[in-house]
Amino acid sequence: VAQGLPGFRVISTANTDDPRFVTKDGRTAYGIVVEKKFLSFTQEPSFKLVKPVVAAQEKATGFDIATTGYFELSAGDSGDTSGPSLLAETLFGAAGALIILIFVFASFLALIPLLIAMVSILSTFLCVLAVTYLTDVSFVVQFLIALVGLGVAIDYSLLIVNRWREERAHGRDNHDAVVEAVRTAGHTVMASAGTVAISLLALIVVPVPLLRSMGIGGLLIPLVSTAVCLTLLPAILGSIGPKVDWPRVRHEHKASRAWSGWARLIAKRRWLAAGIGLAILGLIIAPVFGIKVGVPRTEALANHGPAVDALATLHDGGVPHGVVTPLEVLVRGADAPAGARQVVDRLRGVEGVAFAAFPDDPTWTKDGTAIVEVIPVNETVDLAEAAVVDRMRKAIDGVPGVVGVAGTGATVRDYTDAVFKRFPLVMGLIALVTFLLLVRAFRSLLLPLKAVVLNVLSVAATFGFVVYFWQHGHGSKAIFDIVPTGAITFWVPVVIFGFLFGLSMDYEVFILSRMREEYDRTGSTRAAVVEGLGRTGRVVTCAALILFMAFIALAASPGTDVKVLATALGVGILLDATIVRALMVPALVSLFGRWNWWLPAWLDRVLPASVHAPHPHLPSPAQPEREPALA
């Protein structure tokens, strides 16, 4: 391997004379291959480059030679790192979306949102292409653009098209219906896109290039989709809209009977509904207090295959489990080799360190630097096991020329320090900016506050599901044939928050905007709840199902981390659209009564104008509302 792959480093009994690189039965020797410097997201995985070399040696020597390692296990049982193609996953998501759109519109209008999504996705890719000339962009971004972009663009266009149909059903001509749909639903789409964009700032401000590139790509999704929905979509509806709205099986001249009936029931039993919703969310949130941040254990990466068998052979031979997550100490100076040997001596007996070795090999000593390979006792996949890094740093403190410790465990510790220590502040700032944006959109103080709090609870419930399903393994084995991961990969929670906080807020904005509109028209909170949910319930549910289908397509990727992210976003969207938006939102709006719509007069004058009419200062919460008879 050392000869056939320049730039790679190899450590084994051959260049260390260390008997610990041989199993206790003396029948198996092993070595660690360190790949060359990472240069690109498209770089071929090292285990794929090594395989042809060892296969040739196996044939020439007659020995049984196998490869294993964390990244090879991450590729799945087959070792395939590609998974379904981007086009295949997108088409799968689009097919599911088309079925739902046919149910919503029951006409050829179902094709219009898909057309808008196609234009939005391709336009976003063009924008990302321009970004690649300025900075590196992770390959994961292409999947996010295609699948999240598919759901977001369809959701936005679905809202506008549905409102256009409603206005036409009320007797407006096509031109006026388009104008009114853009004035009302278009305003809601802009507010929704703003909340999504703001939430994705959480990914951009953290000092991690991978997350920043995902944040930039994610930020472009709602912005481009909104631009397309407010330009191309009105042009299509204004020209050929009535022609493709055929056959008109479903009519929009009145609210959904089922959703209106549900809203009446919630308004009547609002205390009970709110209590049930909080209880359900509490149960789902509970596991989140046991979350462990790190990377999945090797047992959760693959269940069978040559890599699994090779690792089992090592474990049976007494090789430490931490061999798949080795650590390295870099020493620099005039006499770096002497410093490296001193590091090896200092690490003997350190808790959590199986052994350390310094190879007698020029590839490990170069230009005044030397590298010591350290094998931990256990896999350093979470913060608890990665604590060995701190003990190592303490033990080698004072050794001349020591630069630092690298490896999986060190990455887990450094990433946690860089991101999670400041993440609560970032979350707080995002929640504050979102609150201010919604105050302007809803002309209310209580509605935005409720929206932010419910969104936080919704995201917390999603994290609870991830811990229960993946970290503890209650369902991951049955559905994905993956054992408990033991930890959640350190970058996944940040990405879940960035995308889910904004996407779930979409539905809050959809529903509350319509409730606010109905309250401005009737002056009755009860009428606002019944008519608002009756008009938006079906649309929000179908929009959530479309996004869910997109994330299910993303879950077909082979990597465990991607499956965790996809299932978290998919389940989070469903939780939000059902427990939160269909139960908690109407119950709480009914409970708060007139306080929902209160805005101080001075703030009303300061805020920029919005589509909603300004409402006077509330003199007393006990003041009765007008309660018109409801059909």
Side-chain angles (χ1 to χ4, degrees):
V1 170
Q3 294 174 357
L5 298 172
F8 282 58
R9 290 182 283 117
V10 181
I11 182 172
S12 67
T13 188
N15 57 4
T16 62
D17 290 327
D18 195 324
R20 289 168 294 192
F21 284 105
V22 180
T23 57
K24 59 186 179 182
D25 60 6
R27 292 181 55 83
T28 303
Y30 70 95
I32 297 175
V33 179
V34 183
E35 66 180 351
K36 63 182 180 181
K37 180 180 178 181
F38 178 81
L39 298 175
S40 169
F41 287 115
T42 59
Q43 187 169 306
E44 188 79 0
S46 58
F47 69 86
K48 288 191 173 183
L49 299 176
V50 169
K51 281 186 179 297
V53 178
V54 298
Q57 289 298 308
E58 185 175 33
K59 184 177 180 180
T61 62
F63 287 109
D64 294 327
I65 306 178
T67 61
T68 188
Y70 196 90
F71 294 107
E72 184 170 359
L73 293 166
S74 298
D77 300 335
S78 65
D80 182 15
T81 57
S82 59
S85 69
L86 176 62
L87 180 60
E89 291 187 3
T90 306
L91 290 177
F92 175 80
L98 180 60
I99 295 173
I100 298 171
L101 290 171
I102 291 174
F103 169 77
V104 173
F105 294 120
S107 77
F108 285 100
L109 268 179
L111 298 174
I112 299 299
L114 285 176
L115 174 63
I116 297 300
M118 181 183 70
V119 175
S120 299
I121 291 171
L122 295 178
S123 300
T124 306
F125 272 122
L126 284 176
C127 294
V128 171
L129 176 62
V131 173
T132 59
Y133 289 100
L134 303 176
T135 183
D136 290 334
V137 176
S138 169
F139 70 93
V140 178
V141 172
Q142 64 181 331
F143 292 92
L144 295 176
I145 290 175
L147 296 170
V148 178
L150 176 72
V152 168
I154 290 178
D155 283 3
Y156 290 171
S157 56
L158 175 61
L159 191 69
I160 294 176
V161 173
N162 194 71
R163 186 57 185 262
W164 168 78
R165 282 188 107 193
E166 180 185 333
E167 295 302 327
R168 291 191 69 228
H170 288 159
R172 293 182 185 268
D173 63 32
N174 191 50
H175 176 271
D176 291 342
V178 172
V179 172
E180 185 64 15
V182 173
R183 187 187 74 84
T184 53
H187 177 272
T188 302
V189 165
M190 287 190 65
S192 299
T195 60
V196 177
I198 290 170
S199 68
L200 286 167
L201 290 176
L203 302 183
I204 296 177
V205 299
V206 295
V208 179
L210 167 66
L211 296 183
R212 282 180 175 170
S213 68
M214 294 173 71
I216 293 172
L219 185 68
L220 291 170
I221 293 171
L223 299 181
V224 173
S225 296
T226 300
V228 175
C229 285
L230 296 182
T231 54
L232 178 61
L233 181 55
I236 293 175
L237 295 178
S239 56
I240 64 172
K243 297 178 181 178
V244 296
D245 191 11
W246 180 90
R248 298 192 63 182
V249 177
R250 190 185 296 278
H251 299 280
E252 303 293 343
H253 61 282
K254 59 182 179 180
S256 166
R257 286 186 178 182
W259 281 102
S260 296
W262 174 256
R264 290 190 186 93
L265 177 62
I266 296 298
K268 186 177 181 180
R269 299 284 187 265
R270 48 190 178 272
W271 284 103
L272 179 62
I276 292 174
L278 284 175
I280 295 174
L281 286 179
L283 288 174
I284 303 175
I285 290 172
V288 79
F289 297 102
I291 190 172
K292 290 184 178 180
V293 177
V295 293
R297 297 176 300 167
T298 52
E299 293 91 338
L301 301 177
N303 293 323
H304 51 80
V308 176
D309 296 339
L311 187 59
T313 299
L314 292 178
H315 290 167
D316 294 341
V319 177
H321 284 63
V323 71
V324 294
T325 56
L327 299 166
E328 292 190 332
V329 179
L330 175 64
V331 183
R332 178 178 293 136
D335 194 5
R341 286 188 285 272
Q342 190 175 349
V343 167
V344 173
D345 293 336
R346 290 279 191 96
L347 292 179
R348 288 195 182 98
V350 173
E351 181 185 356
V353 174
F355 67 93
F358 174 54
D360 182 17
D361 189 312
T363 60
W364 291 77
T365 305
K366 184 178 181 181
D367 298 332
T369 63
I371 297 177
V372 176
E373 194 77 0
V374 182
I375 308 301
V377 174
N378 298 315
E379 299 174 9
T380 54
V381 293
D382 56 44
L383 286 176
E385 295 298 343
V388 66
V389 175
D390 293 334
R391 294 192 289 270
M392 287 174 53
R393 288 169 175 165
K394 185 177 180 179
I396 62 179
D397 185 36
V399 175
V402 170
V403 177
V405 181
T408 302
T411 300
V412 170
R413 301 290 292 181
D414 292 347
Y415 183 93
T416 302
D417 291 341
V419 176
F420 288 102
K421 284 187 176 180
R422 69 177 71 178
F423 195 59
L425 176 61
V426 174
M427 290 173 60
L429 291 175
I430 289 173
L432 176 61
V433 175
T434 302
F435 170 77
L436 296 176
L437 178 66
L438 295 181
V439 167
R440 185 260 175 186
F442 296 149
R443 317 301 292 187
S444 164
L445 288 180
L446 190 56
L447 286 180
L449 179 61
K450 177 189 64 62
V452 171
V453 171
L454 285 181
N455 237 36
V456 171
L457 292 177
S458 179
V459 174
T462 302
F463 285 141
F465 160 79
V466 170
V467 172
Y468 185 81
F469 186 90
W470 288 105
Q471 183 177 310
H472 297 162
H474 299 293
S476 61
K477 177 68 175 177
I479 298 178
F480 293 101
D481 197 26
I482 294 176
V483 301
T485 61
I488 307 303
T489 304
F490 41 74
W491 59 266
V492 171
V494 182
V495 177
I496 290 175
F497 172 82
F499 278 92
L500 192 59
F501 187 86
L503 292 175
S504 59
M505 187 65 81
D506 270 357
Y507 305 135
E508 181 92 10
V509 174
F510 290 174
I511 295 172
L512 290 182
S513 292
R514 191 55 186 264
M515 287 184 180
R516 173 76 225 208
E517 183 181 339
E518 295 302 325
Y519 180 77
D520 290 340
R521 184 175 63 86
T522 65
S524 166
T525 299
R526 183 170 181 269
V529 170
V530 173
E531 187 70 13
L533 193 60
R535 285 291 183 183
T536 59
R538 184 176 74 242
V539 174
V540 166
T541 303
C542 292
L545 286 175
I546 289 170
L547 262 181
F548 179 76
M549 293 296 296
F551 292 133
I552 289 298
L554 183 61
S557 300
T560 300
D561 292 341
V562 178
K563 292 182 187 295
V564 174
L565 175 63
T567 53
L569 294 177
V571 171
I573 288 295
L574 287 186
L575 279 175
D576 190 81
T578 53
I579 305 301
V580 177
R581 308 309 169 196
L583 185 63
M584 295 292 296
V585 168
L588 292 177
V589 171
S590 299
L591 278 173
F592 295 148
R594 289 184 60 85
W595 283 110
N596 288 294
W597 325 107
W598 176 66
L599 185 69
W602 64 268
L603 185 56
D604 186 51
R605 291 191 297 268
V606 172
L607 288 176
S610 75
V611 70
H612 298 298
H615 204 70
H617 176 74
L618 178 66
S620 169
Q623 180 179 334
E625 292 183 328
R626 293 189 294 123
E627 291 291 351
L630 297 178

